[in-house]
Amino acid sequence: MTNDQRAPIRYVLAASVVTLVGALWYLTRIGPDAIAYVFMPAGGAAGVWSVAALLRGPGLEPGARRFWRLILIGLALLTVGYGAMAVEAFLVMPALPTMPPATAVLAGTGLLVSTYAVVRVPLGIADAQNRRKQLVDRAIAFVGGGALMWTYGLAPMFTATDPWSHQALALTGLTFLLGLGAIVKVSYIVGGPVDRVALRLIAGAAVVATAVAVLALYGDEGALVAQSVAMPISFIFASGAVHQQWRSAGARRRRVNVWLPYVSVLAIDAALLGVLRHGLEWSDRVVILAVVLLTALIAVRQLAATRENRLLMREKHATEDRLRHEVTHDGLTGLANRGLFRERTGAAMADGDATVLLVDLDDFKTVNDSLGHEAGDDLLLAVAGAIRAATGADGMAARLGGDEFAVLLTSPGVVGETIADRVLGALAVPVGAHRLLVHASIGIASADSAAGVDELLRHADIAMYAAKQRGKNNRVRYHDGMEQPVLAHARIGGELRRALDEGEFRLHYQPICLLRTGQVVGIESLVRWEHPTRGLIPPSEFIPAAEATGLIVPLGRFVLREACRQAAAWLAEFGPESMQKIGPNVSARQLHDPDFVSDVRAILAETGLPADRLVLELTESAVLRGKQVLRTLNELHDMGVRLALDDFGTGESSLSLLRAFPASIIKLDKSFVDGIELDEPGTPEADARQAVAHAVAQLAGALGLDTVAEGIECQEQADRLLRLGYTLGQGYHLARPMPAERMTEMFAGQRQLIAAGRGR
């Protein structure tokens, strides 16, 4: 604590010491009675110097400085005036002094200046209607308190047997006026530069001064107590007020008092009861008692009405708060909604840089389709909680709609990637009552290059779509030029619908062959887009757009129908021995389509293809989508349709899938075939390269599943796979994907070879 901070405390302690010494003197009465008159100016000196120290310090607003300057003048005049009275006390001892004219003038002027200081303190009420209302309430309080002070204070002084001097009566009246005015004023202060607690302490000092005047009614002993103890206490209050103002930044706004008029009613009743001490007729006493009872009942009734009004206002404010919350917050998750998020983002951009994160759940629609909307809502609640917890005090989380969330970073120095990683980490474990694993794509954008809120959110949206294109469950920060590939992706999505309507999609077919003889036993169908201007577009460019737009469902339906139609035509032309199976690929979106099973059944009936000749190729990620997907796969299996697990070995749950998934065929991923031929057979290096392929072959054999090795690019790889137990393979070495016409020629050539072999 600095010296400036300690200064007001020193003066409070000094005033307290003066009061304590005065109390000890009164108890011991050492020396002449004139000593009692020394403690008042001594305490006043402590009060004066405390206010002077406050005025020397910085930070006071002009209104507060004016108030304390007037209080300083008032305290100084009181101190000097009562100092003159102390001198008079020593001159006339052993008698007690009467108040000298100088004391009356100086002290009276000090009280007037202090009263003026209190009057000048602003109430903090701006509109005229409330000012008029407060004026009436203050008048009620003033009249009630004044009546009480007159009855028990001033009136006895005027009617005393030993009359008081005019200056003593005037000074006492001013003291009463200051005390009453300070109490009334402080009760209605709602704001302003002067600290509210400091004003209360000033009012307390005035009340003590009023009590001193009453003490003087009790003769010499009352006068000695007033001078040695009571008056110095008022300066403890004054120094305490300085200390409170010193440590405060001004008066905080508060609700005005509503109880003071009722206290005033009690005061006027007490004054009326005081009248009963005089010689009144019994009829007059009945009237007075009736008036007291009536005012008390009115006050009680008004208090009850005030309480009811306060409850109604509390309910009204609670309703307003609830409606305001509902307007600005999402009804399901309780997070901020789009409107509040835009408002806060705009304010953040106005204050400086702003960073937003756009969080979109990956494949959330599949949860609603497979488990229902109740499970979807539960998942959204869990995700909202995870995002809120990951954001913490560093930002504001919001739900913009559907499965799209956002975060506005509000803490300086927080990096968007840090919060994004927290969110991704929070979603890395199963959440919600159904313990679902959900991933999100997050776009990050800062306001550096954004012209407005819309532009900033558009940048975050572009970054979010870029994250989805990079494989989902990812975060990407926006940079200039990022919108070009995203727009290109969006344009492809827009053209897909037209391409479906115009019949621009074609199927190519890649044979699945016996590794020992090269004979075709099955075919995988692969979709290609023959664009009218761009030529042949590979699936890697348009399948993600089809997935994102939902057009993968009608596109997959076209692929399934065309593959079954073509397979039935080949079987009819070349016989049932020509081909054992046709294998179109199926996406996760198709499996979640409630009409998928009925579509398969209808297409088989329409094309005449036997169900056991159809093999649907699925990836592990498509299969791991909940109970609805497994139910669909089991229905297909019961129809006789066979299921192949494509790219086997690359997922996280391949082995557990084989127990729950009704697979008939396992297709070993190309990554386990690449380089399998590089080392000498039988060496540790060769065994290490072949370990996964060997284990998959053994596992499939134990479970009675067929195996197909994908991505065979040379004869050496085919030979190694044969030795490991594989009989079927697929790859460029065996045959490349080809149009239906080339595949027909291949079947025709294979039939000729078979016929020639039989002829020999």
Side-chain angles (χ1 to χ4, degrees), residues 319-341:
T319 302
E320 291 175 350
D321 292 341
R322 184 174 64 256
L323 291 175
R324 191 179 300 111
H325 185 274
E326 290 175 356
V327 169
T328 57
H329 289 76
D330 177 57
L332 175 64
T333 63
L335 298 180
N337 62 13
R338 182 182 292 272
L340 180 58
F341 184 79

Side-chain angles (χ1 to χ4, degrees), residues 430-719:
V431 296
H434 294 78
R435 306 307 297 163
L436 298 176
L437 185 62
V438 63
H439 297 302
S441 299
I442 303 177
I444 308 170
S446 296
D448 304 336
S449 58
V453 175
D454 291 331
E455 187 76 3
L456 179 61
L457 294 179
R458 189 177 72 86
H459 288 174
D461 197 48
I462 290 171
M464 183 268 291
Y465 276 107
K468 286 188 178 293
Q469 291 178 12
R470 296 183 187 182
K472 303 181 181 179
N473 194 32
N474 202 350
R475 58 164 172 81
V476 172
R477 176 176 283 276
Y478 173 84
H479 59 77
D480 291 338
M482 179 177 282
E483 59 269 19
Q484 298 305 320
V486 173
L487 291 175
H489 183 79
R491 280 195 294 269
I492 290 177
E495 292 186 40
L496 280 173
R497 182 74 264 176
R498 179 196 56 78
L500 279 168
D501 295 337
E502 297 294 331
E504 296 176 2
F505 290 101
R506 304 286 184 270
L507 292 191
H508 282 204
Y509 302 89
Q510 186 173 23
I512 299 172
C513 305
L514 290 171
L515 292 178
R516 194 170 299 280
T517 64
Q519 179 184 346
V520 177
V521 295
I523 299 173
E524 181 180 1
S525 60
L526 306 167
V527 66
R528 299 289 186 267
W529 183 3
E530 288 188 359
H531 195 278
T533 59
R534 298 175 58 191
L536 198 65
I537 301 177
S540 59
E541 291 191 25
F542 66 85
I543 290 297
E547 290 272 7
T549 58
L551 290 174
I552 193 67
V553 173
L555 178 60
R557 191 179 297 119
F558 160 78
V559 171
L560 179 62
R561 177 176 284 107
E562 180 60 21
C564 290
R565 184 201 64 79
Q566 185 62 68
W570 281 327
L571 288 173
E573 182 177 357
F574 299 107
E577 297 83 8
S578 61
M579 181 188 64
Q580 297 178 8
K581 56 193 174 186
I582 181 76
N585 290 282
V586 176
S587 72
R589 283 287 185 95
Q590 288 177 270
L591 293 177
H592 285 287
D593 182 8
D595 298 326
F596 182 66
V597 174
S598 58
D599 284 346
V600 172
R601 184 179 291 109
I603 289 171
L604 289 174
E606 174 189 328
T607 60
L609 182 71
D612 62 352
R613 297 297 177 109
L614 177 62
V615 176
L616 300 180
E617 299 200 2
L618 313 137
T619 62
E620 296 177 33
S621 60
V623 175
L624 288 171
R625 293 305 176 99
K627 296 179 181 179
Q628 174 64 32
V629 171
L630 286 178
R631 186 160 52 246
T632 298
L633 296 177
N634 280 301
E635 289 181 22
L636 293 169
H637 179 73
D638 294 341
M639 288 170 50
V641 175
R642 291 191 287 173
L643 305 173
L645 199 55
D646 202 5
D647 303 330
F648 186 81
T650 59
E652 298 179 357
S653 305
S654 299
L655 298 180
S656 62
L657 270 180
L658 297 179
R659 301 181 61 184
F661 172 53
S664 300
I665 301 167
I666 294 176
K667 301 188 74 172
L668 180 69
D669 188 70
K670 181 180 183 299
S671 60
F672 302 112
V673 175
D674 292 340
I676 199 172
E677 80 286 357
L678 295 180
D679 299 303
E680 290 295 326
T683 63
E685 292 78 10
D687 292 341
R689 287 184 181 275
Q690 300 169 10
V692 174
H694 189 208
V696 170
Q698 289 183 321
L699 180 64
L703 296 175
L705 305 177
D706 293 334
T707 55
V708 178
E710 297 182 296
I712 300 174
E713 297 182 351
C714 62
Q715 185 59 42
E716 289 80 5
Q717 291 178 347
D719 294 339

